[in-house]
Coordinates of all heavy atoms in Angstrom, one line a residue:
F415 N -39.7 17.5 9.5 CA -38.7 17.1 10.5 C -37.4 16.8 9.8 O -37.3 16.0 8.9 CB -39.2 15.9 11.3 CG -40.4 16.1 12.2 CD1 -41.7 15.7 11.7 CD2 -40.3 16.8 13.4 CE1 -42.8 16.0 12.5 CE2 -41.4 17.1 14.1 CZ -42.7 16.7 13.7
I416 N -36.3 17.5 10.3 CA -35.1 17.5 9.5 C -33.9 16.9 10.3 O -33.7 17.3 11.5 CB -34.8 19.0 9.1 CG1 -35.9 19.6 8.3 CG2 -33.5 19.0 8.3 CD1 -36.0 21.1 8.4
F417 N -33.2 16.0 9.7 CA -32.0 15.3 10.3 C -30.8 15.5 9.4 O -30.9 15.7 8.2 CB -32.3 13.9 10.5 CG -33.6 13.5 11.3 CD1 -34.8 13.6 10.7 CD2 -33.5 13.2 12.6 CE1 -36.0 13.3 11.4 CE2 -34.6 12.9 13.4 CZ -35.9 13.0 12.7
G418 N -29.6 15.4 10.0 CA -28.4 15.5 9.2 C -27.3 16.3 9.8 O -27.2 16.5 11.0
G419 N -26.5 16.8 8.8 CA -25.3 17.5 9.2 C -25.4 19.0 8.8 O -26.4 19.6 8.8
S420 N -24.2 19.6 8.5 CA -24.2 21.0 8.3 C -25.0 21.5 7.1 O -25.4 22.7 7.1 CB -22.7 21.5 8.1 OG -22.1 20.8 7.0
W421 N -25.3 20.7 6.1 CA -26.1 21.2 5.0 C -27.5 21.4 5.4 O -28.3 22.1 4.8 CB -26.1 20.2 3.8 CG -24.8 20.2 3.0 CD1 -23.5 20.3 3.4 CD2 -24.8 20.3 1.6 NE1 -22.7 20.3 2.4 CE2 -23.4 20.3 1.2 CE3 -25.7 20.3 0.6 CZ2 -23.0 20.4 -0.1 CZ3 -25.3 20.3 -0.8 CH2 -24.0 20.4 -1.1
N422 N -27.9 20.8 6.6 CA -29.3 21.0 7.1 C -29.4 21.7 8.4 O -30.4 22.1 8.9 CB -29.9 19.6 7.3 CG -30.5 19.0 6.0 OD1 -30.4 19.7 5.0 ND2 -31.0 17.8 6.1
D423 N -28.2 22.0 9.1 CA -28.2 22.6 10.4 C -28.6 24.1 10.4 O -27.8 24.8 9.7 CB -26.8 22.4 11.1 CG -26.8 22.9 12.5 OD1 -27.8 23.4 13.0 OD2 -25.7 22.9 13.1
V424 N -29.7 24.5 11.0 CA -30.1 25.9 11.0 C -29.7 26.6 12.3 O -30.2 27.7 12.5 CB -31.6 26.0 10.7 CG1 -31.9 25.5 9.3 CG2 -32.4 25.3 11.7
G425 N -28.9 26.0 13.1 CA -28.5 26.6 14.4 C -28.4 25.8 15.6 O -28.1 26.4 16.7
N426 N -28.6 24.5 15.5 CA -28.5 23.7 16.7 C -27.1 23.8 17.4 O -27.0 23.8 18.6 CB -28.8 22.2 16.4 CG -30.3 21.9 16.4 OD1 -31.0 22.3 17.3 ND2 -30.8 21.3 15.3
N427 N -26.1 23.8 16.6 CA -24.7 23.9 17.2 C -24.4 25.2 17.9 O -23.5 25.2 18.7 CB -23.7 23.6 16.1 CG -23.5 22.1 15.8 OD1 -24.4 21.3 16.1 ND2 -22.4 21.8 15.1
N428 N -25.3 26.2 17.7 CA -25.1 27.4 18.5 C -25.3 27.2 20.0 O -24.7 28.0 20.8 CB -26.1 28.5 18.0 CG -25.9 29.0 16.6 OD1 -24.9 28.8 16.0 ND2 -26.9 29.7 16.1
Y429 N -26.0 26.2 20.3 CA -26.4 26.0 21.7 C -25.5 24.9 22.4 O -25.9 24.4 23.4 CB -27.9 25.6 21.8 CG -28.7 26.7 21.1 CD1 -29.2 26.5 19.9 CD2 -28.9 27.9 21.8 CE1 -30.0 27.5 19.3 CE2 -29.7 28.9 21.2 CZ -30.2 28.7 19.9 OH -30.9 29.7 19.3
M430 N -24.4 24.5 21.7 CA -23.5 23.5 22.3 C -22.2 24.2 22.8 O -21.8 25.2 22.1 CB -23.2 22.5 21.2 CG -24.4 21.6 20.8 SD -24.0 20.4 19.6 CE -22.9 19.4 20.6
E431 N -21.7 23.7 23.8 CA -20.4 24.3 24.4 C -19.3 24.1 23.4 O -18.5 25.0 23.2 CB -20.1 23.6 25.7 CG -21.1 23.9 26.9 CD -20.6 25.1 27.6 OE1 -19.4 25.4 27.6 OE2 -21.4 25.7 28.3
S432 N -19.1 22.9 23.0 CA -18.0 22.6 22.1 C -18.6 22.0 20.8 O -19.1 20.9 20.7 CB -17.1 21.6 22.7 OG -16.1 21.2 21.8
A433 N -18.5 22.8 19.7 CA -19.2 22.4 18.5 C -18.5 23.1 17.3 O -17.8 24.1 17.4 CB -20.7 22.7 18.5
I434 N -18.8 22.5 16.1 CA -18.5 23.1 14.9 C -19.6 24.1 14.6 O -20.7 23.8 14.4 CB -18.4 22.0 13.8 CG1 -17.4 21.0 14.2 CG2 -18.1 22.6 12.4 CD1 -17.6 19.7 13.4
K435 N -19.2 25.4 14.5 CA -20.2 26.5 14.4 C -20.0 27.4 13.2 O -18.9 27.6 12.7 CB -20.2 27.3 15.7 CG -20.5 26.5 17.0 CD -20.5 27.4 18.2 CE -20.8 26.6 19.5 NZ -20.9 27.5 20.7
A436 N -21.1 28.0 12.8 CA -21.1 29.0 11.8 C -21.9 30.2 12.3 O -22.8 30.8 11.6 CB -21.7 28.5 10.5
N437 N -21.6 30.6 13.6 CA -22.4 31.7 14.2 C -21.7 33.0 14.2 O -21.8 33.8 15.2 CB -22.8 31.2 15.7 CG -21.5 31.0 16.5 OD1 -20.4 30.9 16.0 ND2 -21.7 30.9 17.8
F438 N -21.0 33.3 13.1 CA -20.3 34.6 13.0 C -20.4 35.0 11.5 O -20.6 34.2 10.6 CB -18.9 34.5 13.5 CG -18.1 33.3 12.8 CD1 -17.4 33.5 11.6 CD2 -18.1 32.0 13.3 CE1 -16.7 32.5 11.0 CE2 -17.5 31.0 12.7 CZ -16.8 31.2 11.5

Side-chain angles (χ1 to χ4, degrees):
F415 295 101
I416 303 153
F417 302 82
S420 56
W421 282 48
N422 280 357
D423 182 4
V424 297
N426 278 310
N427 279 18
N428 291 350
Y429 304 101
M430 295 180 64
E431 290 270 336
S432 174
I434 303 161
K435 298 182 181 181
N437 61 345
F438 53 91

